[in-house]
Amino acid sequence: MADVQTEVSLCPQPWQRPLYIYQGLACNSLMADFWSDRTPLHEAAYQGRLLHLRSLIVQGFHVDTLTLDRVSPLHEACLGGHYACAKFLLENGANVETVSTDGATPLFNSCSSGSAACVRLMLQHRASVLSPCRLASPIHEAAKKGHNECVELLLSYGAPIDMEFPVVGTPLYSACMARAAACAGLLLQSGADVGIGCGQDTPLHAAVQAGGADVVDLLLDFGADECCRNSEGKTPLDLSPPNSAVRNALQKKGPRSLCQLGRLCIRRSLGRSRLHRATGLFLPHSMKDFLLYK
């Protein structure tokens, strides 16, 4: 019992734990030095104390000092959403591509915190939008948290919109599971494939399971197939609880209108890479807006 109490005492309180703890790095006897190797530089960066950070660098602290799990001060600054600290660290040579043991980069942490300023800063310093592993993808994290501006920035720098990972699926699937309707709408307007989710589970399956009736409506507007079956042979309707809002959303749609079918056909013909060219078509502005879901 004493050993258990000692082990628990090594764990920081919930409000003291950064993202990495919650992604599976549980406190145990093998991780006893997890917090003991954090430097004052890490603390200053995480708390956004720029003047203290400057002082520590002048005193000789290395800007890329890493903890045992390869967390850098830049990781911490981005996790806290502290733009000024992140900028200072980069200007002093911090590595923008440092990867922690759980696969997180400073860009990933910026997406987690929802700091569009930090995301833009990382991208301007040539941070890769691609995930170094299949554990922590910046665009999946931004989509899951509903950070629209972060998603927009990542897409503008070439992040793959339909990148599918095990468990988390595509960014659209992640947004649907989190009931992040605005983010799901942004991804769909940007050309995300409404049928690609996680394996045989579609984003519509995810939206139904999460109970997001507004997301279900959105997906159906973008042509989601309500008859598609997952690996268990179940349709979204099969997964919807009786008398629920998601079931009502699925049942009220009915056959698609000719206008809707025409819009889906034109968007499919244009393809994701040319969707932006819809504004140049010789069509009335109202029709262009209709094609672009504005």
Side-chain angles (χ1 to χ4, degrees):
M1 185 66 180
D3 291 340
V4 173
Q5 290 175 339
T6 301
E7 184 176 314
V8 171
S9 69
L10 293 171
C11 294
Q13 296 301 312
W15 58 85
Q16 296 175 310
R17 303 175 192 172
L19 177 68
Y20 326 105
I21 290 293
Y22 292 109
Q23 289 183 330
L25 296 180
C27 285
N28 55 49
S29 57
L30 297 178
M31 297 285 288
D33 291 330
F34 179 75
W35 283 90
S36 64
D37 67 337
R38 282 173 59 83
T39 67
L41 199 64
H42 287 83
E43 289 301 322
Y46 184 61
Q47 295 171 17
R49 297 162 59 192
L50 180 59
L51 293 179
H52 190 201
L53 203 61
R54 290 178 185 275
S55 174
L56 291 169
I57 294 294
V58 170
Q59 291 173 37
F61 277 87
H62 194 280
V63 71
D64 273 332
T65 301
L66 301 180
T67 63
L68 288 176
D69 60 343
R70 297 188 55 79
V71 175
S72 70
L74 184 58
H75 274 105
E76 299 285 40
C78 292
L79 185 63
H82 302 303
Y83 171 85
C85 288
K87 185 172 184 290
F88 174 76
L89 290 167
L90 287 168
E91 288 172 348
N92 282 271
N95 182 3
V96 75
E97 294 286 25
T98 302
V99 183
S100 68
T101 54
D102 59 345
T105 60
L107 177 58
F108 175 90
N109 281 7
S110 299
C111 291
S112 184
S113 69
S115 172
C118 285
V119 169
R120 185 179 290 105
L121 181 66
M122 297 305 112
L123 293 172
Q124 289 171 344
H125 280 77
R126 301 180 182 277
S128 174
V129 294
L130 299 176
S131 175
C133 67
R134 300 174 80 83
L135 294 175
S137 158
I139 193 168
H140 286 79
E141 182 69 6
K144 180 179 71 176
K145 296 288 183 68
H147 299 317
N148 292 10
E149 194 174 351
C150 296
V151 171
E152 283 187 290
L153 283 167
L154 291 167
L155 291 176
S156 70
Y157 275 78
I161 197 169
D162 286 328
M163 179 167 52
E164 182 181 349
F165 283 170
V167 182
V168 296
T170 60
L172 177 58
Y173 186 87
S174 294
C176 292
M177 283 297 293
R179 296 179 61 174
C183 203
L186 170 62
L187 289 164
L188 289 165
Q189 288 173 352
S190 300
D193 193 319
V194 74
I196 302 179
C198 186
Q200 289 183 252
D201 274 46
T202 66
L204 188 56
H205 284 98
V208 169
Q209 288 178 299
D214 52 344
V215 183
V216 169
D217 279 331
L218 181 66
L219 293 168
L220 292 174
D221 281 341
F222 276 84
D225 181 6
E226 60 267 42
C227 297
C228 185
R229 297 183 181 276
N230 63 12
S231 57
E232 297 176 350
K234 294 183 178 181
T235 66
L237 188 62
D238 295 332
L239 296 175
S240 61
N243 303 316
S244 63
V246 289
R247 172 160 289 207
N248 291 337
L250 288 166
Q251 291 177 326
K252 75 178 182 182
K253 279 297 179 181
R256 295 188 180 94
S257 67
L258 185 58
C259 286
Q260 172 71 340
L261 290 171
R263 172 165 60 183
L264 294 173
C265 182
I266 293 171
R267 285 177 64 89
R268 196 173 298 115
S269 297
L270 284 171
R272 181 189 311 127
S273 62
R274 295 183 296 175
L275 274 178
H276 65 282
R277 295 188 180 181
T279 55
L281 295 175
F282 293 102
L283 294 171
H285 288 297
S286 58
M287 290 193 67
K288 294 178 186 178
D289 289 344
F290 179 72
L291 285 174
L292 296 172
Y293 288 87
K294 291 184 177 180

